[in-house]
Amino acid sequence: MQVKGHVVTADKTYWLEHAWLATHVEPGVAVAVSGDGRIAGLRTGVDAPPPGAEILRGLTLPGLANAHSHAFHRALRGTVQVGSGTFWTWRDVMYKVAQNLTPERYFELARAVYAEMALAGITNVGEFHYVHHAPGGAPYADPNAMGEALIEAAAAAGIRITLLDTAYLSAGFGEAPNPHQLRFCDGTAEAWAERVSALKPREHALIGAAIHSVRAVPAAQLATVAAWAQERRAPLHVHLSEQTAENEACRAAHGRTPTQLLADHGVLGPATTGVHNTHLTDADIALLGATTTGTCMCPTTERDLADGIGPATRLQQAGSPLSLGSDSHAVIDLLEEARAMELNERLRSRTRGHWTANALLTAATADGHAALGRPDAGRLEAGAPADFTTIALDSVRTAGPLPRLGAETAVFAASAADVRHTVVGGRHIVRDGAHTLVPDVPSALSEAIAALRA
């Protein structure tokens, strides 16, 4: 029997029928959880459940990290799939939904969305949050009421959150915010920094920063946002080169690509993640890799919006760590995001096997958590948070393969519907496919979304 971790008194023990340990699937693993919600020790070769252990049958993975979310976009599902259009026509629909948000409505919607994420095995979400103020742009009595609603919603749904409070100051290069965008705007980066500095981290929540895009933050103010994040060692995210129109506008305004503009103002670096990174030059890819700036791919949104296929393989080879996000929540399924990243690349290159299943699961777990400021998470090992999720190996999608091929089964056959258990901080949040804190997630989603149509 192999023993990992220190010998301590366990507050709780889980017995994992099969566990993915980053490089392989191991049968019969006992995980001891300490009172602080961390993994106290891990034993392999445990053929039967120890007395009193909670039994997780199937394949247990570290909790999944959704590195890019806009919670209110969940209200767009189905609606924006009617007819045709572009990213820009989709954005017009999004603005209408954003106008109907209040702190109370946003709490209810986000609670339901984060519960849906827990049902999909997600234990940590990076919320790219930019709806800060009341319609028309007036601050709420608590200027962070909307961000606080998201933090509390994550707690109510039982998952962790990194609130990536977003600077959004203009409609485009040299353009004032349009009426829809006044809710997003603090006026200046300095005013943004003053407001966001009042947000405080808590056990389940970290506070990070985001630059919405190079079109939404004037070049002269990029460094202010970057400095705020660097001083606090906080993660910094940015939508980067999602649309060719943005690249062309940036070149027209500044004579350089968005990636080069960010580099010139100190935004790139190992604590920074570019979201999408779709339309990049060779020089952009080299620059992102050389600075170890991360890349968050959101394949289900990128294909839904017809954005294009980003150069994920080349980015990773250059040195950019990969993470995954569900972004607009056309679906919430990190296994599908992992699968889509590989399959998109197969379609483009007409070759197979760009990433192993282990590599794709690493992007969905350890590297995703690191991008959200939790480098200790996303692993089944002593000292890590006791955050994990269990996928059924006996559903109509997953039955048949040998258990030792569990990683391949999870990535290339399973879906969010196969998640049976989700544990966060040692606490069962999803048990046997049912959320323990939000009893009826579909109804909660339906009611919250209906309130935005009123």
Side-chain angles (χ1 to χ4, degrees):
M1 180 181 297
Q2 183 181 8
V3 179
K4 298 181 180 180
H6 301 291
V7 177
V8 298
T9 301
D11 184 67
K12 182 182 296 186
T13 299
Y14 286 92
W15 182 77
L16 318 181
E17 185 180 28
H18 303 281
W20 179 70
L21 300 182
T23 59
H24 67 287
V25 172
E26 188 78 28
V29 176
V31 176
V33 178
S34 57
D36 63 356
R38 291 185 173 269
I39 296 175
L42 182 149
R43 291 186 295 141
T44 59
V46 183
D47 297 332
E54 294 206 39
I55 299 170
L56 303 184
R57 295 203 178 274
L59 174 69
T60 297
L61 311 170
L64 305 177
N66 189 351
H68 190 66
S69 163
H70 303 292
F72 77 93
H73 289 190
R74 175 61 177 81
L76 302 174
R77 188 183 296 178
T79 303
V80 290
Q81 278 73 40
V82 175
S84 60
T86 66
F87 169 87
W88 308 103
T89 57
W90 170 91
R91 190 177 69 160
D92 290 338
V93 179
M94 179 270 288
Y95 283 154
K96 293 176 182 177
V97 172
Q99 285 299 101
N100 290 328
L101 290 170
T102 64
E104 295 75 19
R105 286 176 174 176
Y106 209 2
F107 169 83
E108 294 296 338
L109 176 60
R111 171 178 170 267
V113 174
Y114 296 154
E116 182 181 357
M117 290 185 191
L119 289 169
I122 293 163
T123 59
N124 190 17
V125 60
E127 184 60 40
F128 200 104
H129 165 55
Y130 55 84
V131 186
H132 302 305
H133 307 301
Y140 289 103
D142 174 0
N144 286 305
M146 296 293 267
E148 291 289 349
L150 291 165
I151 290 171
E152 292 307 312
I159 70 170
R160 304 184 194 274
I161 186 172
T162 297
L163 187 75
L164 298 162
D165 195 287
T166 304
Y168 195 132
L169 307 174
S170 69
F173 300 95
E175 296 181 32
N178 67 38
H180 295 297
Q181 295 165 341
L182 293 174
R183 296 202 71 175
F184 313 158
C185 183
D186 288 297
T188 66
E190 289 77 11
W192 166 85
E194 181 178 359
R195 177 183 56 74
V196 73
S197 293
L199 286 164
K200 302 303 179 187
R202 51 218 79 170
E203 184 176 356
H204 79 289
L206 300 180
I207 308 301
I211 292 165
H212 181 273
S213 55
V214 293
R215 71 177 184 272
V217 177
Q221 300 188 58
L222 291 170
T224 299
V225 182
W228 185 94
Q230 290 161 6
E231 288 167 5
R232 290 159 180 79
R233 298 183 178 179
L236 173 63
H237 288 214
V238 55
H239 289 133
L240 179 57
S241 289
E242 182 179 5
Q243 295 291 319
T244 54
E246 179 177 88
N247 288 358
E248 292 162 3
C250 187
R251 285 184 180 277
H254 297 289
R256 66 204 70 189
T257 66
T259 301
Q260 185 63 58
L261 185 67
L262 293 174
D264 292 346
H265 292 275
V267 175
L268 303 185
T272 299
T273 297
V275 181
H276 304 302
N277 292 3
T278 307
H279 302 286
L280 303 175
T281 66
D282 291 346
D284 290 340
I285 293 170
L287 190 53
L288 291 168
T291 56
T292 61
T293 300
T295 294
C296 179
M297 289 292 178
C298 306
T300 65
T301 290
E302 289 151 6
R303 69 191 183 195
D304 183 54
L305 297 179
D307 287 344
I309 301 171
T313 52
R314 294 180 61 204
L315 283 160
Q316 189 171 55
Q317 289 164 2
S320 177
L322 298 179
S323 56
L324 297 165
S326 63
D327 192 0
S328 68
H329 312 315
V331 297
I332 294 177
D333 189 338
L334 262 287
L335 299 174
E336 173 62 20
E337 304 294 346
R339 174 164 54 246
M341 188 164 70
E342 167 66 24
L343 298 186
N344 283 353
E345 192 62 30
R346 291 183 185 187
L347 285 174
R348 178 166 62 179
S349 67
R350 291 184 290 175
T351 59
R352 303 176 75 227
H354 301 277
W355 292 277
T356 65
N358 288 333
L360 291 167
L361 287 178
T362 298
T365 56
D367 288 350
H369 290 288
L372 297 179
R374 294 187 184 272
D376 59 336
R379 298 172 176 83
L380 295 180
E381 61 182 39
D387 299 352
F388 34 89
T389 187
T390 304
I391 297 168
L393 294 179
D394 58 358
S395 76
V396 294
R397 288 166 293 278
T398 61
L402 295 170
R404 64 180 175 82
L405 299 175
E408 287 76 12
T409 303
V411 171
F412 293 107
S415 76
D418 297 307
V419 171
R420 293 293 176 265
H421 305 279
T422 301
V423 174
V424 181
R427 181 172 64 152
H428 235 125
I429 300 302
V430 173
R431 187 189 298 273
D432 296 321
H435 203 288
T436 62
L437 303 178
V438 185
D440 188 346
V441 178
S443 291
L445 285 164
S446 295
E447 292 168 9
I449 292 169
L452 295 178
R453 300 193 189 106

